[in-house]
Amino acid sequence: MQITRSSTDTAKGPADWFTGEVYIDAVAVPQAPARVQANLVHFTPGARTAWHTHPLGQTIYVTEGIGLCQRRGGSIELIRPGDRVFFEPGEEHWHGATANRLMVHLALNEVDDEHAAAHWGEHVSDDEYAAAPSPRS
Ligand code: MN
């Protein structure tokens, strides 16, 4: 058993991987042979990931606010607290907050020596982001 008290600093989401202000708290840090990695991620209004893939897929579970997600070739979907999204292995996608609300999700990934948590691509442009549906409609 290993207890980690609340001593881990919140990390800022790197600008190469995110647009806007994103804050990441490590929830689960796997030690081999365990490979479940979990992060609690706070996206401020307008913030989002870049386009990316997860070699072993990813589950996100929304806990606060109103968010958005999109797979390549699909429409932008609104996601709300209690919604769970699974991105399939290798499926290109992004996720983030709506323009006017923050969004918090738990992110669950599997990682090991052969599988990084994510492979990152280009940022979601303002034009791409502007295609999001309004949460008020
Ligand atoms: Mn993802």
Side-chain angles (χ1 to χ4, degrees):
M1 187 172 88
Q2 181 180 342
I3 297 178
T4 302
R5 304 293 179 191
S6 190
S7 59
T8 307
D9 290 348
T10 296
K12 183 126 182 345
D16 285 352
W17 301 351
F18 298 95
T19 298
E21 302 275 303
V22 176
Y23 298 95
I24 303 168
D25 287 304
V27 173
V29 179
Q31 295 177 21
R35 60 182 195 177
V36 173
Q37 178 187 81
N39 289 293
L40 190 63
V41 187
H42 286 69
F43 295 83
T44 58
R48 67 267 190 182
T49 69
W51 288 100
H52 63 284
T53 61
H54 304 287
L56 296 176
Q58 178 186 50
T59 293
I60 61 171
Y61 181 84
V62 180
T63 61
E64 291 183 51
I66 305 178
L68 301 168
C69 64
Q70 182 182 28
R71 66 176 173 82
R72 182 71 79 180
S75 54
I76 301 177
E77 301 285 343
L78 285 163
I79 49 176
R80 291 184 164 85
D83 290 347
R84 180 179 70 210
V85 183
F86 178 68
F87 301 104
E88 295 189 9
E91 182 175 60
E92 195 176 17
H93 69 283
W94 63 271
H95 32 106
T98 49
N100 62 324
R101 294 290 301 273
L102 63 74
M103 189 272 279
V104 183
H105 70 46
L106 188 64
L108 301 163
N109 288 84
E110 291 182 277
V111 297
D112 61 21
D113 288 345
E114 282 97 55
H115 300 93
H119 296 299
W120 294 94
E122 72 273 25
H123 284 88
V124 174
S125 71
D126 289 344
D127 282 349
E128 288 174 312
Y129 186 75
S134 168
R136 296 189 180 95
S137 60

